[in-house]
Amino acid sequence: MSEHTGSVRPGRNLGGRTASAGVERRCRPAVPEHRRRVITARVRTWAVVAAAVLLLTGCGTGGGTWSPARELSYPPAPRQPVPAPAAEHAGDTGSVPIADLAQRGWLRDVSRRTEIPVRVLAAYAGASLRLAELEPGCGIGWNTLAGVGAVESVHGSYGGARAGTDGTVSPPIVGIPLDGSEGVAEIVDTDGGELDGDAEWDRAVGPMQFIPATWESWAQDGNLDGRADPHQIDDAALTAGLYLCRSGGDVTTDDGWEAALATYNRSVSYAHEVTDFAETYGA
C-alpha cells in the first residue's frame, strides 16, 4: 500500500487528460479493444513508480492528515458494482474461499473484457462479495479493488510476476527500500525482514503493496488456509478492501471515496488513476 511524503507525482495522462488539481472528470462508456490496450500499457508504466509508494497512516502518522489534499479536487466516487454470487454460495460467503464466490461465467466474460487474469479477478470479485456481508455500509465494488490492483502491481504481474492457480503471486513483488530518499518515506525495519526480506528498511510487499506494519494490523485470510499472506491475492484483496471500508465508511459517496483513497495514498493523482481504472472496469 502506498503513500507519498509531501511529494505528489506530476500529472499523468489519463486517456488524453492530465491528472492535476481541478481537472474535470468525465464518465465514459465501455471501452473498446484498442483503448483497453492503451490502459494496460499505461498501468505497466505506472507500476514502476507504484512499487515504491507506502501507506503513512498505517505507520502511525495520525488521523486527519489527508484533509488538505481534499482541496486539490479529488475525483467523485465511481459506480461500485458487486457481482452476483455463485448460486451454491449465495448467503454463505464466510465459509467459502473468496475466489469461489463469484459466478464462473461472469468471471470469464469480465476477464475477457478487462484483460484482468481470471484468478486475480476472482479475488477482487470475491472480496467485494465477502465485504458486502462484513461491511454492509461500505458498498465497495470489485472494480475499486481492481483499480487499486492495477495501479499497485498491474494485477500481480509487475516485473514478470503472475498469480498461480492457488492465488500466490510469484516471484514476490517487493518495493524499493523506504529509506527516506527523495519522494519516499523513511521507515526503519519493523518486522526483522520477515515479509520484505529487508532487515534495515521496510518495503511495500505483494500485489496490493502493503508495508509490514499495516499488514500486521489488517491482514485477512481470504482463501481460508489458516494464514494471511500479503503475496496471496485473495488475502491481499480482502485486506485492502477491509482497510478501504474502515477508512472511508461508505465509499459510494464522494466523501467516503476521498477518505478511503487518501488514507491508502495521499496523492491526488493516485486517486485519479485508481478512479480512472475503476470507472473503466465497472462500465
Side-chain angles (χ1 to χ4, degrees), residues 24-237:
E24 180 179 351
R25 303 285 293 163
R26 295 176 294 177
C27 295
R28 297 181 305 282
V31 178
E33 180 68 25
H34 75 278
R35 166 67 171 139
R36 293 202 303 270
R37 287 196 293 269
V38 171
I39 289 171
T40 301
R42 174 165 53 82
V43 76
R44 290 184 184 279
T45 300
W46 160 246
V48 174
V49 179
V53 287
L54 109 127
L55 175 67
L56 283 185
T57 301
C59 300
T61 57
T65 53
W66 63 275
S67 56
R70 291 184 57 151
E71 301 173 5
L72 301 178
S73 185
Y74 268 80
R79 175 174 169 266
Q80 303 272 343
V82 176
E88 63 270 29
H89 302 315
D92 186 30
T93 68
S95 61
V96 180
I98 65 171
D100 296 333
L101 293 179
Q103 295 177 351
R104 294 291 114 183
W106 181 91
L107 290 172
R108 182 186 62 250
D109 294 344
V110 174
S111 175
R112 184 180 300 117
R113 175 176 67 83
T114 62
E115 300 181 0
I116 301 172
V118 170
R119 183 61 186 83
V120 177
L121 180 61
Y124 299 149
S128 70
L129 285 164
R130 175 72 55 78
L131 289 165
E133 293 188 4
L134 290 177
E135 301 286 327
C138 175
I140 194 168
W142 69 269
N143 58 319
T144 287
L145 299 172
V148 173
V151 173
E152 296 291 356
S153 70
V154 201
H155 307 302
S157 69
Y158 175 71
R162 64 181 295 272
T165 56
D166 67 349
T168 300
V169 173
S170 181
I173 299 173
V174 179
I176 65 171
L178 301 170
D179 57 6
S181 53
E182 185 177 359
V184 177
E186 180 176 327
I187 307 295
V188 177
D189 173 65
T190 61
D191 70 336
E194 182 179 354
L195 288 182
D196 55 16
D198 189 335
E200 182 178 5
W201 304 102
D202 270 350
R203 298 171 182 245
V205 298
M208 304 301 269
Q209 287 289 278
F210 287 91
I211 61 170
T214 305
W215 182 258
E216 182 180 359
S217 297
W218 293 90
Q220 300 293 304
D221 179 12
N223 64 346
L224 303 182
D225 67 349
R227 60 187 294 265
D229 179 1
H231 299 289
Q232 205 279 338
I233 189 60
D234 303 327
D235 297 354

